[in-house]
């Protein structure tokens, strides 16, 4: 069985004795699912269960302005919701069984837009975007509901350079693997938006682009939602297999030495094991 180990110094009677902490390599990928505007985490529940069956730890959550916090709908800003995504990401990565180097973020529509921005602020290995929305950078802290709808419609028909849009700039800097899914009959996120995202992903490790024929923005038919779930599951299965090959090809890491080890509590042991892997 693959193992991880860390060299530690154990304080005793004013001196330190050497030890080696060894544990099974049981850390697994984490998957953060981000719903769209007017959605909720319930839309991702089935998808999360399917991904969990692959051996991932998944986190779904409700953005402010939705579900329990629907009363904030008129006041919530993109900055607020980005903070929600960051908090959810940090919660997922903080789980002791989650490998912080194997994080997937999967977002739809507004959630896809936020997921793209997230990659500029947190490490993400795999990025899944379904019909990702786009917004002007201006009025970032203005309530989302007060953004000019007519202007937004025109903006989504334009060709946008990455340096002129925060989400696209993050995509241009992204170096991981990408799944980009378009709905053929989408009137909210039209094809020019998808073209802008495709053009921005210049340096990614891999790009999987799919168009769901006949599907609308909201995937209003159950069969469409099921097809999308299977698409995501197949992609994550492929990504996990590729990651295993890549990880095996890397030279083994030398165990990290820790100068002090005040108390070998479970929390501290997990912290050490997260920082040092030897497969």
């Amino acid at each position: 069985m693959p193992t991880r180990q860390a060299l530690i110094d154990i304080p005793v009677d004013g001196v330190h004795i050497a030890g080696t902490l060894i544990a099974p390599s049981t850390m697994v990928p984490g998957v953060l699912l981000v719903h769209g505007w007017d959605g909720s985490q319930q839309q991702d529940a089935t998808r999360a269960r399917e991904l969990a069956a692959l051996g991932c730890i998944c986190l779904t959550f409700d953005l402010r302005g939705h579900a329990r916090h629907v009363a904030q709908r008129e006041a919530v800003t993109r900055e607020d919701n980005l903070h929600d995504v960051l908090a959810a990401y940090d919660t997922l990565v903080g789980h002791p069984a989650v490998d912080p180097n194997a994080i997937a973020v999967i977002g739809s529509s507004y959630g896809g837009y936020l997921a793209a921005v997230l990659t500029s602020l947190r490490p993400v290995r795999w990025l899944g975007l379904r019909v990702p929305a786009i917004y002007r950078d201006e009025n970032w802290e203005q309530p989302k509901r007060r953004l000019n709808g007519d202007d937004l419609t025109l903006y989504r028909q334009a060709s946008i350079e990455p340096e002129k849009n925060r989400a696209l700039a993050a995509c241009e800097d992204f170096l991981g693997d990408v799944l980009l899914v378009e709905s053929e009959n989408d009137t909210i996120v039209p094809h020019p938006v998808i073209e802008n995202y495709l053009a921005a992903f210049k340096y990614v490790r891999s790009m999987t682009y799919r168009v769901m024929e006949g599907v609308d923005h909201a995937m209003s038919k159950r069969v469409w939602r099921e097809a999308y779930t299977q698409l995501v599951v197949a992609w994550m299965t492929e990504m996990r297999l590729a990651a295993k090959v890549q990880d095996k090809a890397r030279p083994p890491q030398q165990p990290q030495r820790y100068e002090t080890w005040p108390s070998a509590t479970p929390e501290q042991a997990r912290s050490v094991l997260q920082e040092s892997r030897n497969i």
Side-chain angles (χ1 to χ4, degrees), residues 22-33:
I22 303 172
S25 181
T26 57
M27 297 176 75
V28 299
V31 183
L32 180 66
L33 297 104

Side-chain angles (χ1 to χ4, degrees), residues 140-158:
W140 174 259
E141 296 191 3
Q142 178 177 318
K144 183 182 178 298
R145 294 274 284 183
R146 297 182 190 175
L147 298 178
N148 187 311
D150 293 336
D151 175 73
L152 186 57
T153 298
L154 291 174
Y155 187 62
R156 290 179 176 175
Q157 293 292 338

Side-chain angles (χ1 to χ4, degrees), residues 36-197:
W37 188 257
D38 286 331
S40 75
Q41 64 175 312
Q42 292 304 316
Q43 296 173 327
D44 291 318
T46 298
R47 207 159 295 121
R49 284 191 287 270
E50 293 274 357
L51 292 169
L54 296 179
C56 302
I57 293 179
C58 300
L59 176 61
T60 66
F61 66 102
D62 294 318
L63 294 166
R64 276 178 290 175
H66 302 77
R68 183 193 304 174
H69 299 286
V70 69
Q72 300 178 18
R73 175 67 60 90
E74 298 299 323
V76 72
T77 68
R78 285 177 285 170
E79 179 74 5
D80 294 331
N81 286 153
L82 180 59
H83 287 174
D84 298 339
V85 177
L86 288 168
Y89 175 100
D90 292 342
T91 298
L92 175 64
V93 173
H95 191 288
V98 168
D99 183 348
N101 297 312
I103 301 298
V105 180
I106 300 173
S108 294
S109 191
Y110 178 54
Y113 167 78
L114 293 172
V117 175
L118 172 70
T119 64
S120 66
L121 302 169
R122 295 290 191 276
V124 174
R125 186 167 186 173
W126 303 295
L127 178 63
L129 304 178
R130 187 189 74 83
V131 296
I134 199 77
Y135 301 85
R136 293 186 187 275
D137 289 347
E138 293 80 8
N139 302 314
W140 174 259
E141 296 191 3
Q142 178 177 318
K144 183 182 178 298
R145 294 274 284 183
R146 297 182 190 175
L147 298 178
N148 187 311
D150 293 336
D151 175 73
L152 186 57
T153 298
L154 291 174
Y155 187 62
R156 290 179 176 175
Q157 293 292 338
S159 176
I160 308 167
E161 296 296 324
E163 60 267 22
K164 296 180 180 179
N165 184 274
R166 183 176 184 179
L168 296 181
C171 293
E172 186 174 49
D173 291 338
F174 187 65
L175 303 177
D177 301 281
V178 175
L179 170 66
L180 182 58
V181 180
E182 177 179 3
S183 289
E184 183 183 35
N185 295 334
D186 196 329
T187 59
I188 296 176
V189 176
H191 183 67
V193 174
I194 304 301
E195 287 185 329
N196 286 322
Y197 274 98

Side-chain angles (χ1 to χ4, degrees), residues 176-180 197-198 201 204-210:
D177 301 281
V178 175
L179 170 66
L180 182 58
Y197 274 98
L198 278 170
F201 285 117
V204 295
R205 184 165 43 225
S206 71
M207 164 62 72
T208 302
Y209 170 49
R210 297 288 184 269

